[in-house]
């Protein structure tokens, strides 16, 4: 079926809960996508950091095909071979004590929020408030939405869950004020993704973590977008030289099959049987893919390559800035990057799409890219050349 006939079928049937662009993708390989008309695209968005190793990676595909014919789900009354192996591999990689698997990033955060409340009850005389950042994004379920410090996401759904307090990123005094008598935990992204690719300042994080430690407030880091090598470290907290008590992950974890996880250290490991659960929680397909993902992640030299490519992109953008006045600057860490513009970003994104390049207008004036970590340098440069040509047309 053609792109237009699929849209004719899909547009009346698929809910308009997000502003989808009128392209129907039918195939992906590495950093390339094809739509239903066979038009080819370079993908610098990777399903919003779900395909950190590109589309249809042979190792992930092989794991999925093998698993599909073996076993997919039992129930959480039992263990699954791939679940056990993935949990062991994740704890070995990160040093966290234990893992809970969920179906998504939002659900990993729901689990973290419940855990924080339990920590408050058990260790802090019933303290219950959780402090999060303004412009943060933690997901769309009610708890995660309530943690998300952006009124635009909450407005239509008030009242949201109570017990959340918000403070601006990188303003330590504001966080010290927000962490009050009733606070049991903080939940923070170290690079805000949906908020516009805004990295935390190392000094801010050092001060914040020290303050939380003094108050015995749980430090929870949302690594849903920053995890699995996206910033040039396995997890973003490694850039900041501290260990959170809790991290949440998702996206790349299941290699494209829905899966999230909550990883906890001993101090926060408080769930008892019956406290929290989910029927599938990823499932064997996601776990099998996850094992392949962890092997790919630990390939020697990959993290250095991410840093190198990220620097190349930012240096290239900086060069363009000298000749293209529409460019204001850039920000980000590793291959989690945004190009800040002096013009609206959406027309730029649409023009890129027309030219066969997938990027994201993450804010009104910023273009976000989250390329595959293993994108071949020549394809990256090809994508950058399309972007430059488009920006030149807007200059
Ligand atoms: C930092 C962060 N947390 C949580 C989520 C929610 O994850 P999911 O969409 O898998 O529920 C996202 C999604 O973009 C995210 O970027």
């Amino acid at each position: 079926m053609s792109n237009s006939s699929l849209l004719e079928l899909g547009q009346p049937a698929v809910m308009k809960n997000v502003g989808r662009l009128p392209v129907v993708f039918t195939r992906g390989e590495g950093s390339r996508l094809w739509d239903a008309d066979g038009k080819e695209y370079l993908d610098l968005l990777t399903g919003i950091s779900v395909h950190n190793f590109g589309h249809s990676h042979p190792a992930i595909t092989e794991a999925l095909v093998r698993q599909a014919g073996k076993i997919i789900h039992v129930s959480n009354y039992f263990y699954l071979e791939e679940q056990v192996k993935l949990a062991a591999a994740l704890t070995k990689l990160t040093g966290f004590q234990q893992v809970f698997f969920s179906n998504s990033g939002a659900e990993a955060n729901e689990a973290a929020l419940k855990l924080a409340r339990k920590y408050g009850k058990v260790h802090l005389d019933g303290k219950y408030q959780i402090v999060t950042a303004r412009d943060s994004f933690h997901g769309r379920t009610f708890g995660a939405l309530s943690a998300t410090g952006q009124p635009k996401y909450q407005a239509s759904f008030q009242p949201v869950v109570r017990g959340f307090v918000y403070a601006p990123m990188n303003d330590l005094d504001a966080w010290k004020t927000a962490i009050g008598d009733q606070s049991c935990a903080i939940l923070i992204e170290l690079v805000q993704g949906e908020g516009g690719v805004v990295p935390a300042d190392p000094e801010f994080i050092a001060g914040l973590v020290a303050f939380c430690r003094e108050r015995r407030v749980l430090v929870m880091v949302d690594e849903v977008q920053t995890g699995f090598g996206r910033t040039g470290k396995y997890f973003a907290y490694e850039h900041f030289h501290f260990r959170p008590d809790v991290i949440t992950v998702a996206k790349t974890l299941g290699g494209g099959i829905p899966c999230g996880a909550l990883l906890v250290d001993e101090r926060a490991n408080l769930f008892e049987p019956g406290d929290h659960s989910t029927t599938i929680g990823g499932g064997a397909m996601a776990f099998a893919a996850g094992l392949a993902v962890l092997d790919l992640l630990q390939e020697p030299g990959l993290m250095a390559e991410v840093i190198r490519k990220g620097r190349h992109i930012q240096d290239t953008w900086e060069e363009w800035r000298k000749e293209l006045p529409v460019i204001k600057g850039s920000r980000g860490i590793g291959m989690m990057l945004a190009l800040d513009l002096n013009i609206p970003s959406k027309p730029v994104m649409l023009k890129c799409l027309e030219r066969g390049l997938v990027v994201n207008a993450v804010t009104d004036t910023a273009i976000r890219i989250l390329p595959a970590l293993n994108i071949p340098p020549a394809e990256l440069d090809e994508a950058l050349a399309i972007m430059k040509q488009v920006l030149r047309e807007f200059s």
Side-chain angles (χ1 to χ4, degrees), residues 115-336:
L115 191 69
R117 286 276 173 91
K118 183 152 189 195
Y119 172 82
K121 268 203 167 45
V122 172
H123 289 304
L124 297 177
D125 300 327
K127 292 182 182 181
Y128 64 94
Q129 260 172 9
I130 299 167
V131 183
T132 67
R134 290 205 182 283
D135 297 324
S136 56
F137 185 84
H138 299 293
R140 307 288 193 146
T141 51
F142 252 108
L145 176 70
S146 311
T148 292
Q150 299 200 55
K152 70 175 179 190
Y153 290 117
Q154 297 182 351
S156 302
F157 309 105
Q158 295 288 354
V160 294
V161 178
R162 67 190 184 90
F164 289 90
V165 178
Y166 314 104
M169 189 77 156
N170 293 329
D171 183 341
L172 185 56
D173 288 341
W175 281 75
K176 285 184 174 174
T177 307
I179 299 170
D181 288 346
Q182 290 306 317
S183 299
C184 63
I186 64 162
L187 174 65
I188 190 164
E189 297 160 90
L190 295 171
V191 185
Q192 290 185 329
E194 302 312 296
V197 189
V198 180
D201 291 339
E203 312 80 65
F204 162 69
I205 292 298
L208 179 61
V209 170
F211 189 75
C212 289
R213 296 283 180 243
E214 254 168 51
R215 303 274 176 120
R216 297 169 60 219
V217 163
L218 216 53
V219 177
M220 309 198 296
V221 172
D222 181 335
E223 293 265 8
V224 168
Q225 194 161 143
T226 49
F228 299 104
R230 174 52 57 201
T231 66
K233 296 273 188 193
Y234 294 156
F235 297 96
Y237 69 82
E238 296 166 54
H239 286 288
F240 295 83
H241 309 295
F242 78 103
R243 274 194 68 74
D245 301 302
V246 171
I247 65 167
T248 53
V249 296
K251 294 197 187 268
T252 283
L253 173 61
I257 306 295
C259 191
L262 168 76
L263 285 90
V264 297
D265 255 342
E266 195 173 355
R267 193 160 87 102
N269 199 352
L270 296 172
F271 279 156
E272 295 165 299
D275 272 346
H276 194 66
S277 187
T278 172
T279 297
I280 296 181
M285 294 286 279
F287 303 145
L291 285 166
V293 162
L294 289 193
D295 282 347
L296 291 169
L297 183 69
Q298 292 174 82
E299 267 180 20
L302 178 67
M303 292 303 101
E305 187 184 323
V306 173
I307 298 289
R308 215 168 33 244
K309 284 179 188 160
R311 201 166 292 141
H312 169 68
I313 297 166
Q314 283 199 290
D315 287 351
T316 304
W317 285 348
E318 190 52 34
E319 277 301 305
W320 295 355
R321 197 163 69 92
K322 294 176 192 157
E323 53 176 301
L324 300 175
V326 293
I327 298 177
K328 196 169 173 189
S330 71
R331 54 180 181 262
I333 308 182
M335 291 174 82
M336 181 169 181

Side-chain angles (χ1 to χ4, degrees), residues 343-362:
I343 55 170
S345 56
K346 193 164 177 201
V348 173
M349 173 186 73
L350 292 175
K351 183 62 84 178
C352 284
L353 192 66
E354 196 185 302
R355 300 283 161 82
L357 178 66
V358 178
V359 295
N360 166 245
V362 68

